[in-house]
Coordinates of all heavy atoms in Angstrom, one line a residue:
M229 N 8.5 1.7 -4.3 CA 9.2 1.1 -3.1 C 8.1 0.4 -2.3 O 6.9 0.8 -2.4 CB 9.9 2.1 -2.3 CG 9.2 2.8 -1.2 SD 10.2 3.0 0.1 CE 11.0 1.5 0.4
T230 N 8.4 -0.7 -1.7 CA 7.4 -1.4 -0.9 C 7.9 -1.4 0.6 O 9.0 -1.5 1.0 CB 7.3 -2.9 -1.4 OG1 8.5 -3.6 -1.4 CG2 6.7 -2.8 -2.8
T231 N 6.9 -1.6 1.5 CA 7.1 -1.7 2.9 C 6.1 -2.9 3.2 O 5.5 -3.5 2.3 CB 6.7 -0.6 3.6 OG1 5.3 -0.3 3.6 CG2 7.4 0.7 3.2
K232 N 6.1 -3.3 4.5 CA 5.3 -4.3 5.0 C 3.8 -4.2 4.6 O 3.1 -5.1 4.2 CB 5.5 -4.5 6.5 CG 4.7 -5.6 7.1 CD 5.0 -5.7 8.6 CE 3.8 -5.8 9.4 NZ 4.1 -5.8 10.8
S233 N 3.4 -2.9 4.7 CA 2.0 -2.6 4.6 C 1.6 -1.8 3.4 O 0.4 -1.6 3.2 CB 1.5 -1.8 5.8 OG 1.7 -2.4 7.0
L234 N 2.6 -1.2 2.7 CA 2.3 -0.3 1.6 C 3.2 -0.5 0.4 O 4.3 -0.9 0.5 CB 2.6 1.1 2.1 CG 1.9 1.5 3.4 CD1 2.5 2.8 3.8 CD2 0.5 1.8 3.0
V235 N 2.7 -0.1 -0.7 CA 3.4 0.1 -2.0 C 3.3 1.6 -2.4 O 2.3 2.1 -2.4 CB 2.8 -0.8 -3.1 CG1 3.6 -0.6 -4.4 CG2 2.8 -2.2 -2.8
I236 N 4.5 2.2 -2.5 CA 4.5 3.6 -2.8 C 5.2 3.8 -4.1 O 6.4 3.4 -4.4 CB 5.3 4.4 -1.7 CG1 4.5 4.1 -0.4 CG2 5.3 5.8 -2.0 CD1 5.2 4.7 0.8
Y237 N 4.6 4.5 -5.0 CA 5.2 5.0 -6.2 C 5.4 6.5 -6.2 O 4.4 7.2 -5.8 CB 4.3 4.6 -7.5 CG 4.1 3.2 -7.7 CD1 2.9 2.6 -7.3 CD2 5.0 2.5 -8.4 CE1 2.7 1.2 -7.5 CE2 4.8 1.0 -8.5 CZ 3.7 0.5 -8.2 OH 3.4 -0.9 -8.3
R238 N 6.6 7.0 -6.6 CA 6.9 8.4 -6.5 C 7.4 8.9 -7.9 O 8.2 8.1 -8.4 CB 7.9 8.6 -5.4 CG 8.3 9.9 -5.2 CD 9.4 10.2 -4.2 NE 10.0 11.4 -4.3 CZ 11.2 11.7 -3.8 NH1 11.8 10.9 -3.1 NH2 11.7 13.0 -4.0
S239 N 7.2 10.0 -8.1 CA 7.9 10.8 -9.2 C 8.0 12.2 -8.8 O 7.3 12.7 -7.9 CB 6.9 10.6 -10.6 OG 5.9 11.6 -10.6
V240 N 8.9 12.8 -9.5 CA 9.1 14.2 -9.3 C 7.9 15.0 -9.6 O 7.1 14.6 -10.6 CB 10.4 14.8 -9.9 CG1 11.6 14.1 -9.4 CG2 10.3 14.6 -11.4
S241 N 7.7 16.2 -9.0 CA 6.6 17.0 -9.4 C 6.8 17.8 -10.7 O 8.0 17.9 -11.2 CB 6.4 18.2 -8.3 OG 7.4 19.0 -8.2
L242 N 5.8 18.1 -11.3 CA 5.8 18.8 -12.6 C 6.4 20.2 -12.4 O 6.2 20.8 -11.3 CB 4.5 18.8 -13.3 CG 3.9 17.4 -13.7 CD1 2.5 17.7 -14.2 CD2 4.7 16.7 -14.7
S243 N 7.0 20.8 -13.4 CA 7.4 22.2 -13.3 C 6.3 23.1 -13.0 O 5.1 23.0 -13.5 CB 8.2 22.6 -14.4 OG 7.4 22.7 -15.5
G244 N 6.5 23.9 -12.0 CA 5.4 24.9 -11.6 C 4.5 24.4 -10.4 O 3.8 25.2 -9.9
E245 N 4.6 23.1 -10.0 CA 3.9 22.7 -8.9 C 4.6 23.0 -7.6 O 5.7 22.7 -7.4 CB 3.8 21.1 -9.0 CG 2.7 20.6 -10.0 CD 2.4 19.1 -10.0 OE1 3.4 18.4 -9.5 OE2 1.4 18.6 -10.2
D246 N 3.8 23.6 -6.7 CA 4.4 24.0 -5.3 C 4.1 23.0 -4.3 O 4.7 23.0 -3.3 CB 3.8 25.4 -5.0 CG 4.3 26.5 -6.0 OD1 5.3 26.3 -6.7 OD2 3.5 27.5 -6.0
S247 N 3.0 22.1 -4.5 CA 2.7 21.3 -3.5 C 2.6 19.8 -4.0 O 2.6 19.6 -5.2 CB 1.4 21.6 -3.0 OG 0.3 21.6 -3.8
S248 N 2.6 18.9 -3.1 CA 2.6 17.5 -3.5 C 1.3 17.0 -3.9 O 0.3 17.6 -3.4 CB 3.0 16.8 -2.2 OG 4.4 17.0 -1.9
S249 N 1.3 16.1 -4.8 CA 0.0 15.4 -5.3 C 0.0 14.0 -4.7 O 1.0 13.4 -4.9 CB 0.0 15.4 -6.7 OG -0.9 16.1 -7.3
V250 N -1.0 13.6 -4.1 CA -1.1 12.2 -3.6 C -2.3 11.5 -4.0 O -3.5 12.1 -3.9 CB -1.1 12.3 -2.0 CG1 -1.2 10.9 -1.5 CG2 0.2 13.0 -1.5
G251 N -2.1 10.3 -4.4 CA -3.4 9.4 -4.7 C -3.2 8.2 -3.8 O -2.1 7.7 -3.6
I252 N -4.4 7.9 -3.3 CA -4.4 6.7 -2.4 C -5.5 5.7 -3.0 O -6.7 6.0 -3.2 CB -4.9 7.0 -0.9 CG1 -3.9 8.1 -0.4 CG2 -4.9 5.8 -0.1 CD1 -4.2 8.7 1.0
T253 N -5.0 4.5 -3.4 CA -5.8 3.5 -3.9 C -6.1 2.3 -3.0 O -5.1 1.7 -2.6 CB -5.3 3.0 -5.3 OG1 -5.2 4.1 -6.1 CG2 -6.2 2.1 -5.9
V254 N -7.3 2.1 -2.5 CA -7.5 1.0 -1.6 C -8.5 0.0 -2.2 O -9.6 0.2 -2.5 CB -8.1 1.6 -0.2 CG1 -8.3 0.4 0.8 CG2 -7.4 2.7 0.3
S255 N -7.9 -1.2 -2.5 CA -8.7 -2.2 -3.2 C -9.7 -2.9 -2.2 O -9.5 -2.9 -1.1 CB -7.7 -3.2 -3.9 OG -7.1 -4.0 -2.9
K256 N -10.5 -3.7 -2.8 CA -11.4 -4.5 -2.1 C -10.8 -5.6 -1.2 O -11.4 -6.2 -0.4 CB -12.5 -5.1 -3.0 CG -13.5 -4.0 -3.5 CD -14.7 -4.6 -4.1 CE -15.6 -3.6 -4.6 NZ -16.8 -4.1 -5.2
S257 N -9.5 -5.9 -1.7 CA -8.8 -6.9 -0.9 C -8.6 -6.5 0.5 O -8.3 -7.4 1.5 CB -7.6 -7.3 -1.5 OG -6.6 -6.3 -1.6
I258 N -8.5 -5.2 0.8 CA -8.4 -4.7 2.2 C -9.5 -5.0 3.2 O -9.4 -5.3 4.3 CB -8.2 -3.2 2.2 CG1 -7.0 -2.8 1.2 CG2 -8.1 -2.5 3.5 CD1 -5.7 -3.2 1.8
G259 N -10.8 -5.0 2.7 CA -11.9 -5.4 3.5 C -13.2 -4.6 2.9 O -13.2 -4.2 1.7
K260 N -14.1 -4.5 3.7 CA -15.4 -3.9 3.3 C -15.2 -2.4 3.4 O -14.2 -1.9 3.7 CB -16.5 -4.3 4.3 CG -16.8 -5.8 4.1 CD -18.1 -6.1 4.8 CE -18.4 -7.6 4.8 NZ -19.4 -8.0 3.7
A261 N -16.2 -1.6 2.9 CA -16.1 -0.2 2.7 C -15.6 0.5 3.9 O -14.9 1.4 3.9 CB -17.5 0.3 2.2
V262 N -16.2 0.1 5.0 CA -15.8 0.8 6.3 C -14.3 0.7 6.6 O -13.6 1.6 6.9 CB -16.6 0.3 7.5 CG1 -16.1 0.8 8.8 CG2 -18.1 0.6 7.4
T263 N -13.9 -0.5 6.4 CA -12.4 -0.8 6.6 C -11.5 0.0 5.6 O -10.5 0.7 5.9 CB -12.0 -2.3 6.6 OG1 -13.0 -2.9 7.4 CG2 -10.6 -2.6 6.9
R264 N -11.9 -0.1 4.4 CA -11.2 0.6 3.2 C -11.1 2.2 3.6 O -10.1 2.8 3.3 CB -11.9 0.4 1.9 CG -11.7 -1.1 1.5 CD -12.0 -1.2 0.0 NE -13.2 -0.6 -0.4 CZ -14.5 -1.3 -0.5 NH1 -14.5 -2.6 -0.2 NH2 -15.5 -0.7 -1.0
N265 N -12.2 2.7 4.0 CA -12.3 4.2 4.3 C -11.4 4.5 5.4 O -10.8 5.6 5.5 CB -13.7 4.7 4.5 CG -14.5 4.6 3.2 OD1 -13.9 5.0 2.1 ND2 -15.7 4.5 3.1
K266 N -11.4 3.6 6.4 CA -10.6 3.9 7.6 C -9.2 3.9 7.3 O -8.4 4.7 7.7 CB -10.9 2.8 8.8 CG -10.0 2.8 10.0 CD -10.3 1.8 10.9 CE -9.5 1.7 12.1 NZ -9.7 0.6 13.0
V267 N -8.7 3.0 6.5 CA -7.4 3.0 5.9 C -7.0 4.1 5.2 O -6.0 4.8 5.3 CB -7.0 1.6 5.2 CG1 -5.7 1.6 4.5 CG2 -7.2 0.4 6.2
R268 N -7.9 4.5 4.4 CA -7.7 5.6 3.5 C -7.6 7.0 4.3 O -6.7 7.8 4.1 CB -8.9 5.8 2.4 CG -8.6 7.0 1.5 CD -9.8 7.1 0.5 NE -9.9 6.0 -0.4 CZ -10.9 5.1 -0.4 NH1 -12.0 5.4 0.2 NH2 -10.8 4.0 -1.1
R269 N -8.4 7.1 5.3 CA -8.3 8.3 6.1 C -7.0 8.3 6.9 O -6.4 9.4 7.2 CB -9.5 8.3 7.1 CG -10.8 8.8 6.4 CD -12.0 9.0 7.4 NE -12.1 8.0 8.4 CZ -13.0 7.0 8.2 NH1 -13.6 6.8 7.2 NH2 -13.1 6.1 9.2
R270 N -6.6 7.3 7.5 CA -5.4 7.2 8.2 C -4.2 7.6 7.3 O -3.4 8.4 7.8 CB -5.2 5.8 8.8 CG -5.9 5.3 10.0 CD -5.5 4.0 10.6 NE -6.2 3.8 11.8 CZ -6.0 2.8 12.6 NH1 -5.2 1.8 12.1 NH2 -6.6 2.6 13.7
L271 N -4.1 7.0 6.1 CA -3.1 7.3 5.3 C -3.1 8.7 4.9 O -2.0 9.4 4.9 CB -3.1 6.3 4.0 CG -2.7 5.0 4.3 CD1 -2.9 4.1 3.1 CD2 -1.3 4.8 4.8
A272 N -4.2 9.4 4.6 CA -4.3 10.7 4.2 C -3.7 11.6 5.4 O -3.0 12.6 5.1 CB -5.7 11.1 3.9
A273 N -4.1 11.3 6.5 CA -3.6 12.1 7.7 C -2.2 12.0 7.9 O -1.5 13.0 8.1 CB -4.5 11.8 9.0
I274 N -1.7 10.8 7.7 CA -0.1 10.6 8.0 C 0.6 11.4 6.8 O 1.6 12.0 7.0 CB 0.1 9.1 7.9 CG1 -0.5 8.4 9.1 CG2 1.6 8.8 7.9 CD1 -0.5 7.0 9.2
L275 N 0.1 11.1 5.6 CA 0.8 11.7 4.5 C 0.7 13.3 4.6 O 1.7 13.9 4.2 CB 0.2 11.3 3.1 CG 0.6 9.9 2.8 CD1 -0.3 9.3 1.8 CD2 2.1 9.8 2.4
H276 N -0.4 13.8 5.0 CA -0.5 15.3 5.1 C 0.5 15.9 6.1 O 1.1 16.9 5.7 CB -1.9 15.7 5.6 CG -2.1 17.2 5.7 ND1 -2.3 18.0 4.8 CD2 -2.2 17.9 6.9 CE1 -2.4 19.2 5.2 NE2 -2.4 19.2 6.5
E277 N 0.6 15.1 7.1 CA 1.7 15.5 8.1 C 3.1 15.4 7.7 O 4.0 16.2 7.7 CB 1.5 14.8 9.6 CG 2.3 15.1 10.5 CD 2.1 14.3 11.8 OE1 0.9 14.3 12.2 OE2 3.0 13.5 12.2
A278 N 3.4 14.2 7.0 CA 4.7 13.8 6.6 C 5.1 14.7 5.4 O 6.4 15.1 5.3 CB 4.8 12.4 6.2
L279 N 4.4 15.0 4.5 CA 4.8 15.9 3.2 C 5.0 17.3 3.6 O 5.6 17.9 2.7 CB 3.7 15.6 2.2 CG 3.6 14.2 1.6 CD1 2.6 14.1 0.5 CD2 5.0 13.7 1.0
A280 N 4.6 17.8 4.8 CA 4.9 19.2 5.0 C 6.3 19.5 5.2 O 6.8 20.5 4.9 CB 4.2 19.5 6.4
S281 N 7.1 18.5 5.5 CA 8.6 18.6 5.6 C 9.4 18.1 4.4 O 10.6 18.0 4.4 CB 9.1 18.0 6.9 OG 8.8 16.6 6.8
H282 N 8.7 17.8 3.3 CA 9.4 17.3 2.1 C 9.1 18.3 0.9 O 8.1 19.0 0.9 CB 8.9 15.9 1.8 CG 9.5 14.8 2.6 ND1 8.9 14.6 3.9 CD2 10.6 14.0 2.5 CE1 9.6 13.5 4.4 NE2 10.7 13.3 3.6
P283 N 10.0 18.2 -0.1 CA 9.7 19.0 -1.3 C 8.6 18.5 -2.0 O 8.2 17.3 -1.8 CB 11.0 18.9 -2.1 CG 11.8 17.7 -1.5 CD 11.3 17.6 -0.1
A284 N 8.0 19.2 -2.9 CA 6.9 18.8 -3.7 C 7.2 17.6 -4.5 O 8.3 17.4 -5.1 CB 6.5 19.9 -4.7
M285 N 6.3 16.5 -4.5 CA 6.5 15.3 -5.2 C 5.0 14.7 -5.5 O 4.0 15.2 -5.0 CB 7.2 14.3 -4.4 CG 6.6 13.8 -3.0 SD 7.6 12.6 -2.1 CE 8.6 13.8 -1.1
R286 N 5.0 13.8 -6.4 CA 3.8 13.1 -6.7 C 3.9 11.6 -6.1 O 4.8 10.9 -6.4 CB 3.6 13.1 -8.2 CG 3.6 14.5 -8.8 CD 3.5 14.6 -10.2 NE 2.1 14.8 -10.5 CZ 1.6 14.6 -11.7 NH1 2.2 14.0 -12.7 NH2 0.3 14.9 -11.9
L287 N 2.8 11.2 -5.5 CA 2.9 9.9 -4.9 C 1.6 9.2 -5.2 O 0.5 9.8 -5.2 CB 2.9 10.1 -3.4 CG 4.2 10.5 -2.7 CD1 4.0 10.7 -1.1 CD2 5.3 9.6 -3.0
L288 N 1.7 7.9 -5.3 CA 0.7 7.0 -5.4 C 0.8 5.9 -4.4 O 1.9 5.3 -4.2 CB 0.5 6.2 -6.8 CG -0.6 5.2 -6.8 CD1 -2.0 5.8 -6.6 CD2 -0.5 4.4 -8.1
V289 N -0.1 5.9 -3.4 CA 0.1 4.8 -2.2 C -1.0 3.8 -2.3 O -2.2 4.1 -2.4 CB -0.1 5.6 -1.0 CG1 0.2 4.7 0.4 CG2 1.0 6.8 -0.8
I290 N -0.6 2.6 -2.4 CA -1.4 1.4 -2.4 C -1.3 0.7 -1.2 O -0.1 0.0 -1.0 CB -1.2 0.6 -3.6 CG1 -1.3 1.6 -4.9 CG2 -2.2 -0.6 -3.7 CD1 -0.8 0.8 -6.2
P291 N -2.1 0.6 -0.2 CA -2.0 -0.3 0.9 C -2.2 -1.7 0.7 O -3.1 -2.2 -0.1 CB -3.1 0.2 2.0 CG -4.1 0.9 1.1 CD -3.3 1.4 -0.2
R292 N -1.5 -2.6 1.3 CA -1.6 -4.1 1.3 C -2.6 -4.5 2.3 O -3.0 -3.7 3.2 CB -0.3 -4.7 1.6 CG 0.6 -4.4 0.5 CD 2.1 -5.0 0.9 NE 3.1 -5.1 -0.2 CZ 4.2 -5.6 -0.2 NH1 4.5 -6.3 0.8 NH2 4.8 -5.6 -1.3
P293 N -3.1 -5.7 2.2 CA -4.2 -6.2 3.2 C -3.9 -6.0 4.6 O -4.7 -5.8 5.5 CB -4.4 -7.6 2.7 CG -4.1 -7.6 1.3 CD -3.1 -6.7 1.1
I294 N -2.5 -6.2 4.9 CA -2.1 -6.2 6.4 C -2.2 -4.7 6.9 O -2.3 -4.5 8.1 CB -0.6 -6.5 6.4 CG1 -0.1 -6.7 7.9 CG2 0.3 -5.5 5.8 CD1 0.0 -8.0 8.3
A295 N -2.4 -3.7 6.0 CA -2.6 -2.2 6.6 C -3.9 -2.2 7.3 O -4.1 -1.3 8.1 CB -2.5 -1.3 5.4
A296 N -4.9 -3.0 7.0 CA -6.2 -3.0 7.7 C -6.1 -3.2 9.2 O -6.9 -2.7 9.9 CB -7.2 -3.9 7.1
V297 N -5.2 -4.0 9.6 CA -5.0 -4.2 11.0 C -3.8 -3.6 11.6 O -3.5 -3.7 12.9 CB -4.9 -5.8 11.1 CG1 -6.2 -6.4 10.9 CG2 -3.7 -6.4 10.4
A298 N -3.0 -2.8 10.8 CA -1.9 -2.1 11.4 C -2.3 -1.0 12.2 O -3.3 -0.3 11.9 CB -0.9 -1.5 10.2
H299 N -1.6 -0.6 13.2 CA -1.8 0.6 13.9 C -1.4 1.9 13.2 O -0.5 1.8 12.4 CB -1.0 0.5 15.3 CG -1.5 -0.6 16.3 ND1 -2.7 -0.5 17.0 CD2 -1.0 -1.8 16.5 CE1 -2.9 -1.7 17.6 NE2 -1.9 -2.5 17.4
Y300 N -2.0 2.9 13.7 CA -1.7 4.2 13.2 C -0.1 4.5 13.1 O 0.5 4.9 12.1 CB -2.5 5.4 13.8 CG -2.3 6.8 13.3 CD1 -3.1 7.3 12.4 CD2 -1.2 7.6 13.8 CE1 -3.0 8.6 11.8 CE2 -0.9 8.9 13.3 CZ -1.9 9.4 12.3 OH -1.7 10.7 11.9
W301 N 0.5 4.3 14.3 CA 1.9 4.6 14.6 C 2.7 3.7 13.5 O 3.8 4.1 13.2 CB 2.3 4.6 15.9 CG 2.0 3.2 16.7 CD1 0.8 2.9 17.4 CD2 2.8 2.1 16.7 NE1 0.9 1.7 17.8 CE2 2.1 1.0 17.4 CE3 4.1 1.8 16.2 CZ2 2.7 -0.2 17.7 CZ3 4.6 0.5 16.3 CH2 3.9 -0.5 17.2
E302 N 2.2 2.5 13.3 CA 3.1 1.6 12.5 C 3.0 2.0 11.0 O 4.0 2.1 10.3 CB 2.5 0.2 12.4 CG 2.6 -0.6 13.7 CD 1.9 -1.8 13.9 OE1 0.6 -1.9 13.3 OE2 2.5 -3.0 14.3
L303 N 1.9 2.5 10.6 CA 1.8 3.1 9.2 C 2.6 4.4 9.1 O 3.3 4.8 8.1 CB 0.3 3.4 8.7 CG -0.6 2.2 8.7 CD1 -2.0 2.6 8.5 CD2 0.0 1.3 7.5
Q304 N 2.5 5.1 10.2 CA 3.4 6.5 10.2 C 4.8 6.2 10.1 O 5.4 6.9 9.4 CB 3.0 7.2 11.6 CG 3.5 8.6 11.6 CD 3.0 9.3 12.9 OE1 2.8 8.6 13.9 NE2 2.7 10.6 12.8
A305 N 5.3 5.2 10.8 CA 6.7 4.9 10.7 C 7.2 4.3 9.5 O 8.3 4.7 9.0 CB 7.1 3.8 11.9
E306 N 6.2 3.5 8.8 CA 6.6 3.0 7.5 C 6.7 4.1 6.5 O 7.6 4.2 5.7 CB 5.5 2.0 7.1 CG 5.7 0.6 7.7 CD 4.8 -0.4 7.1 OE1 4.5 -0.3 5.8 OE2 4.2 -1.2 7.9
I307 N 5.8 5.1 6.5 CA 5.7 6.2 5.6 C 7.1 7.1 5.9 O 7.7 7.5 4.9 CB 4.5 7.0 5.6 CG1 3.3 6.2 5.0 CG2 4.6 8.3 4.9 CD1 2.0 6.6 5.1
A308 N 7.3 7.4 7.1 CA 8.4 8.2 7.4 C 9.8 7.7 7.0 O 10.7 8.3 6.5 CB 8.5 8.4 9.0
S309 N 9.8 6.4 7.0 CA 11.1 5.7 6.6 C 11.2 5.5 5.1 O 12.2 5.5 4.4 CB 11.3 4.3 7.2 OG 10.4 3.4 6.8
A310 N 10.0 5.5 4.4 CA 9.8 5.2 2.9 C 10.1 6.5 2.1 O 10.7 6.4 1.1 CB 8.5 4.6 2.5
L311 N 9.6 7.7 2.6 CA 9.7 8.9 1.8 C 11.1 9.3 1.6 O 11.4 9.7 0.3 CB 8.9 10.0 2.6 CG 7.4 9.9 2.4 CD1 6.7 11.1 3.2 CD2 7.0 9.8 1.1
P312 N 12.1 9.2 2.4 CA 13.4 9.8 2.0 C 14.0 8.9 1.0 O 14.9 9.4 0.3 CB 14.2 9.8 3.4 CG 13.1 9.8 4.5 CD 11.9 9.1 3.9
R313 N 13.7 7.6 1.1 CA 14.5 6.7 0.2 C 13.7 6.3 -1.0 O 14.2 5.5 -1.9 CB 14.9 5.5 1.0 CG 13.8 4.6 1.5 CD 14.3 3.6 2.5 NE 13.3 3.0 3.1 CZ 13.1 1.7 3.1 NH1 13.9 0.9 2.5 NH2 12.0 1.1 3.8
A314 N 12.4 6.7 -1.2 CA 11.6 6.4 -2.4 C 12.2 7.0 -3.5 O 12.3 8.3 -3.6 CB 10.1 6.9 -2.2
G315 N 12.4 6.2 -4.5 CA 13.1 6.7 -5.8 C 12.1 7.4 -6.7 O 11.0 7.1 -6.6
G316 N 12.6 8.3 -7.5 CA 11.7 9.1 -8.3 C 12.0 9.0 -9.8 O 12.8 8.7 -10.4

């Protein structure tokens, strides 16, 4: 599924997995290393909080270049709206 700032791929967790697995891939199109790491840290914090209330799943999150200038709360809202409807 895609949002304004993110592309999210989801699949069901493997049998026996109790917790979610998340991969965050930030390409060089986002910016220099400092910017890429900032985006990665923001997404990791948001996902850690958001996945606490969801069943175990596997996610791959790929931010788009606009994510580099998006506010924390904007990314948080996008993830909150995307998780319930992300197909698996």
Side-chain angles (χ1 to χ4, degrees):
M229 90 140 320
T230 59
T231 66
K232 179 177 141 187
S233 306
L234 306 167
V235 177
I236 302 172
Y237 295 98
R238 176 185 168 196
S239 84
V240 294
S241 63
L242 299 175
S243 62
E245 283 186 330
D246 296 337
S247 61
S248 296
S249 242
V250 178
I252 301 171
T253 302
V254 184
S255 71
K256 287 188 177 181
S257 66
I258 300 293
K260 296 196 181 256
V262 171
T263 304
R264 292 193 310 265
N265 287 329
K266 178 182 175 182
V267 170
R268 184 178 299 121
R269 286 190 309 270
R270 279 186 176 181
L271 290 174
I274 293 168
L275 286 164
H276 178 75
E277 181 181 304
L279 290 175
S281 61
H282 283 82
M285 64 181 85
R286 304 176 100 201
L287 293 175
L288 173 61
V289 180
I290 305 169
R292 294 176 168 189
I294 190 107
V297 293
H299 293 283
Y300 182 92
W301 57 268
E302 290 174 316
L303 295 172
Q304 190 175 33
E306 285 186 34
I307 288 174
S309 69
L311 283 182
R313 62 189 171 128

